Amino acid sequence: MTTSMLWRAGRRLLLIAGLPAVLITAWWLATANSTNFYWPPLRTIVEVFGPTWLEGKLTSDVLPSLARLGVGYLAALALGIGIGVAIGSSTTLRATVEPVLEFFRAIPPPVLVPILILFAGIGDGMKVLVIVSGAIWPILLNTVEGVRSIDEVLRDTAACYRFRTRTRLTTLILRGASPQIMTGARQALSIAIILMVISEMFAASNGLGFTIIQFQRSFALPQMWSGIILLGLIGVALSLLFRLVETRVLAWYFGQRDTQQSGA
Amino acid sequence: MTQSPRKTPKDSDIMSIVSTLTRSTPEPAMSTDDTGQHTPMLDVRGLRKVYASGKRSVEAVRDLTFGVDPGELVCLVGPSGCGKTTLLRCISGLLETTSGEVVLEGKRVSGPPEGMAVVFQEYGRSLFPWLTVWQNVELPLKEKGISRAERKRLTTESLAAVGLADFHTAHPWQLSGGMQQRVAIARAVAYEPHVLLMDEPFAAVDAQTRGELEDLVRALWERLGVTVLFVTHDIDEAVYLGQRVVILSSSPTVVLEDVTIDLPAERDQLTTRSLPRFTELRAHVYERVQQAKQGNRPSTPTATS
């Protein structure tokens, strides 16, 4: 019993950590004796990682970046869900707005950066706006779709039992659309991380993107590589956090899906 | 389907629990107006529904007039596709009528009225999958503004009455189809409606479960004195359950006949269904529904009883 459980846990760990271990080892061995200026040994990159990021730059660059990411992402969530619910609930509004939405969605957010600098300057506001302008679309469009696809019988049930507007919104609309909203939010998260970096590569005086560009321009390549690794790690951490939230919020959805699949 | 919480209570259990369920709705008395005629609980007068889309219009319901007295259990039966669902949506205020009116307790229905609960055919789609069984039953009571203690009492009692006392924390999708429909029935019962509409509630459950649920509805109806309008396409079910069976024509719908079911009030699956009178009534209703299927309709749509 215990051995089989241990064996299963070990197998799981192997599945999760196996490929990263192989990749890291390959990188380590391939660059071990590298004298190429642009491809420093992984050992050097790891050595500079701590001094580069954990002393000083953590508060001056990493945290400001994460703060802008957080504010931008949450604003995109609030706006996307709010507008999405409004559009999804009204056929007229949907017919009016949908073509325009398609147009805005098709514009790559990075091209908005120069324009946004004109309006919002080069401060935090601009960077948050860039993140919102890109991350809002998957959330908004998925919310519209989610609200539209809420079951007709469930709507009738809410109407028959005379649900108040507030309950209708929280218990019927938002919960009903939550699987699609979460899908949109997941896509939006990776877009938001990309835009956080890009917005800092334009006019900026701190932040992860800014620092990585600075390292590149001053030919501090191990440091530059360590910054890229840090970005990757942040991405992994945020996606794990997202999954944690998702399993809580959508527990009913996964449960229902599993039941239907095993019953079919 | 996972085999987790699935235990079907026996009929006898349910009946004993039902009898402990206290009646807290005042029995709707046979109200009498000034002229001395009793007024029905639910009155459908000249109801007509035309679906218009662009230039095409489809007449689903032509002219329906019938009434349901307080405390009565009336079944509506008709050939499939006869506009039963349209009719039910009009009565429950979910759909506007083209002409005619639906009057509930003397008030004209213009939206989902107070004092009415609906049990839909699609049980799996009418329960909130993100809420537990308990929350599903309790939520409408919250919306009605009922106090916490009273909500607790009503929810506990109605779940016990349908034999689901042990499933409070389960989610609907963890239950079998018949049990899900029991949750929907418990939700309707806890709401303490004056009129209970049931839209082919057992069409999607297996035959054995259907029998149990039919008896459950009879038991709850007798116990609570609630007025029930039961829509079905199953002729046996209509005759077995109802005090009256209203036979509908094919679409555009009119009333073909209003049959009084003069079977003993005490009904059970075995003896009632083997009574000669049951067979007679069943044959009669069957014949009329067959005629309706062939497009047979009365020259003047009148209700005779």
Side-chain angles (χ1 to χ4, degrees):
Chain A
M1 183 68 194
T2 23
T3 26
S4 81
M5 269 167 69
L6 267 176
W7 164 239
R8 220 175 296 158
R11 207 177 109 88
R12 225 177 111 81
L13 192 74
L14 199 73
L15 280 175
I16 294 170
L19 187 60
V22 169
L23 289 175
I24 292 170
T25 314
W27 187 2
W28 189 279
L29 293 178
T31 60
N33 300 312
S34 170
T35 50
N36 187 325
F37 183 70
Y38 301 103
W39 296 98
L42 183 54
R43 169 207 281 276
T44 322
I45 298 173
V46 171
E47 274 165 5
V48 300
F49 189 94
T52 308
W53 296 107
L54 303 181
E55 295 156 21
K57 285 212 184 306
L58 185 69
T59 47
S60 69
D61 292 288
V62 180
L63 291 183
S65 279
L66 290 178
R68 292 191 281 255
L69 174 68
V71 172
Y73 184 64
L74 291 180
L77 267 182
L79 282 172
I81 294 173
I83 302 171
V85 166
I87 296 173
S89 307
S90 153
T91 356
T92 339
L93 195 59
R94 202 158 62 230
T96 322
V97 175
E98 215 137 55
V100 185
L101 284 186
E102 291 298 328
F103 175 77
F104 280 115
R105 189 176 65 142
I107 298 175
V111 307
L112 293 176
V113 175
I115 303 165
L116 288 175
I117 289 177
L118 290 179
F119 293 110
I122 58 167
D124 290 340
M126 178 274 280
K127 294 173 185 92
V128 169
L129 268 179
V130 172
I131 294 172
V132 172
S133 69
I136 193 173
W137 302 110
I139 302 172
L140 198 159
L141 296 167
N142 276 287
T143 305
V144 171
E145 206 41 52
V147 172
R148 260 171 62 171
S149 60
I150 290 173
D151 199 297
E152 214 46 54
V153 180
L154 220 47
R155 286 179 191 275
D156 283 352
T157 304
C160 281
Y161 287 110
R162 300 158 61 91
F163 281 17
R164 285 170 292 203
T165 316
R166 221 191 108 135
T167 319
R168 233 184 85 81
L169 185 67
T170 53
T171 309
L172 176 72
I173 309 274
L174 287 180
R175 291 305 296 273
S178 59
Q180 283 93 335
I181 293 178
M182 289 308 272
T183 306
R186 179 188 281 282
Q187 292 169 12
L189 184 61
S190 50
I191 294 176
I193 296 173
I194 294 168
L195 289 177
M196 169 194 84
V197 179
I198 289 178
S199 70
E200 291 167 353
M201 287 178 167
F202 285 87
S205 54
N206 69 355
L208 270 165
F210 166 77
T211 314
I212 291 170
I213 290 286
Q214 285 301 107
F215 284 141
Q216 184 233 345
R217 286 181 183 157
S218 57
F219 296 100
L221 292 186
Q223 283 82 353
M224 180 197 80
W225 279 110
S226 72
I228 293 167
I229 290 175
L230 179 64
L231 275 177
L233 291 176
I234 289 173
V236 170
L238 287 176
S239 118
L240 286 178
L241 193 68
F242 188 90
R243 192 178 294 178
L244 210 68
V245 173
E246 191 179 43
T247 39
R248 285 198 80 106
V249 173
L250 294 186
W252 64 270
Y253 178 72
F254 296 131
Q256 188 179 35
R257 206 183 51 185
D258 293 348
T259 311
Q260 280 166 357
Q261 276 171 0
S262 59
Chain B
M1 224 352 166
T2 46
Q3 281 298 319
S4 42
R6 192 188 283 187
K7 187 191 82 176
T8 311
K10 291 194 188 72
D11 280 340
S12 52
D13 297 347
I14 299 169
M15 297 315 149
S16 64
I17 302 165
V18 167
S19 58
T20 62
L21 186 71
T22 53
R23 173 188 294 195
S24 51
T25 6
E27 185 174 1
M30 285 275 190
S31 49
T32 309
D33 63 18
D34 296 337
T35 55
Q37 288 176 317
H38 66 264
T39 51
M41 177 63 126
L42 178 71
D43 202 6
V44 178
R45 298 175 190 155
L47 189 144
R48 178 162 187 260
K49 177 67 190 177
V50 180
Y51 289 103
S53 63
K55 284 176 189 162
R56 256 172 58 93
S57 67
V58 177
E59 189 182 30
V61 177
R62 176 161 295 166
D63 181 12
L64 269 184
T65 301
F66 67 91
V68 182
D69 284 333
E72 228 183 345
L73 199 171
V74 175
C75 291
L76 286 179
V77 68
S80 38
C82 75
K84 291 187 291 265
T85 302
T86 302
L87 171 63
L88 210 101
R89 285 176 63 86
C90 286
I91 294 175
S92 58
L94 291 168
L95 203 61
E96 292 238 8
T97 60
T98 307
S99 62
E101 59 182 4
V102 177
V103 179
L104 177 76
E105 295 180 280
K107 267 183 271 175
R108 199 190 155 142
V109 170
S110 57
E114 276 179 76
M116 180 184 277
V118 183
V119 174
F120 294 94
Q121 177 187 343
E122 304 92 340
Y123 47 81
R125 291 163 57 196
S126 88
L127 297 171
F128 295 92
W130 43 87
L131 301 180
T132 60
V133 166
W134 176 275
Q135 290 168 329
N136 263 292
V137 177
E138 192 194 20
L139 185 60
L141 307 180
K142 260 188 198 166
E143 295 306 293
K144 213 176 167 188
I146 291 173
S147 74
R148 181 185 290 264
E150 184 68 1
R151 286 205 307 263
K152 194 173 173 205
R153 185 184 72 79
L154 285 168
T155 310
T156 315
E157 282 178 3
S158 59
L159 278 172
V162 300
L164 291 177
D166 298 334
F167 296 94
H168 290 177
T169 56
H171 283 265
W173 37 267
Q174 292 171 313
L175 307 177
S176 67
M179 288 167 89
Q180 290 182 33
Q181 194 57 292
R182 282 171 199 266
V183 177
I185 293 171
R187 176 170 65 183
V189 166
Y191 197 64
E192 300 188 308
H194 298 158
V195 175
L196 178 57
L197 297 187
M198 305 188 92
D199 180 13
E200 304 197 20
F202 311 141
V205 296
D206 62 83
Q208 285 176 21
T209 313
R210 174 184 285 220
E212 282 169 29
L213 291 175
E214 284 166 4
D215 290 338
L216 174 65
V217 167
R218 279 290 295 196
L220 287 170
W221 166 71
E222 276 169 2
R223 180 72 208 155
L224 302 173
V226 61
T227 311
V228 179
L229 184 62
F230 192 104
V231 179
T232 179
H233 63 255
D234 183 328
I235 293 157
D236 281 63
E237 185 169 79
V239 174
Y240 178 71
L241 280 179
Q243 292 178 304
R244 268 166 58 209
V245 171
V246 176
I247 306 168
L248 303 176
S249 75
S250 55
S251 187
T253 318
V254 296
V255 173
L256 273 186
E257 192 181 340
D258 193 334
V259 185
T260 303
I261 303 298
D262 47 5
L263 292 170
E266 197 64 47
R267 298 187 190 175
D268 78 83
Q269 296 286 351
L270 213 59
T271 49
T272 307
R273 283 182 193 268
S274 52
L275 289 174
R277 184 64 186 144
F278 180 87
T279 319
E280 262 172 56
L281 285 163
R282 188 191 164 282
H284 177 71
V285 175
Y286 185 83
E287 207 178 335
R288 295 309 305 258
V289 171
Q290 287 304 317
Q291 288 169 3
K293 269 186 193 162
Q294 285 147 19
N296 198 345
R297 36 200 320 122
S299 45
T300 46
T302 45
T304 52
S305 48

